[in-house]
Amino acid sequence: PDRTDTRVRPAARKLSYKLKRELDALPDRIAELEARVTELRGVVNDGAFYRRPQAEVQRFVNDLELAEREVETAVERWAELERLAELAAAGDDVTAP
């Protein structure tokens, strides 16, 4: 006899607790990251900034680039979780990425 499991696992209809908590925390995290980007841009845009030692300049520029990428990643994740939450609210199947 064929013992293949033919049961279909029902799809999730709402965000998991973990994803809901992540979604709830992301706006504050994004605000923190944006504040860091603003702070670093202020330093880099200072007229005297490029008179600093090259290693220090490079560190700040690298930190700024990293902070900008972190903001972008967090915003993309927030948008994805919002989309999933909207689908769940509409009663559609929700699967976490």
Side-chain angles (χ1 to χ4, degrees), residues 39-96:
E39 174 188 336
L40 289 169
R41 282 183 181 157
V43 172
V44 170
N45 290 333
D46 184 333
F49 175 71
Y50 290 97
R51 292 188 206 119
R52 296 178 181 198
Q54 177 60 30
E56 187 177 343
V57 167
Q58 192 60 53
R59 183 175 55 82
F60 272 95
V61 170
N62 290 345
D63 289 350
L64 175 57
E65 290 171 354
L66 176 62
E68 289 171 335
R69 284 192 306 270
E70 288 177 330
V71 168
E72 183 178 330
T73 299
V75 168
E76 288 171 357
R77 180 65 174 158
W78 174 82
E80 176 64 16
L81 291 176
E82 276 291 316
R83 184 186 69 77
L84 291 175
E86 289 172 6
L87 288 172
D92 292 339
D93 292 342
V94 174
T95 55

Side-chain angles (χ1 to χ4, degrees), residues 19-32 78:
L19 291 178
K20 176 71 171 122
R21 286 185 44 95
E22 181 183 359
L23 177 60
D24 290 345
L26 274 169
D28 289 337
R29 177 69 178 142
I30 291 168
E32 290 170 9
W78 174 82

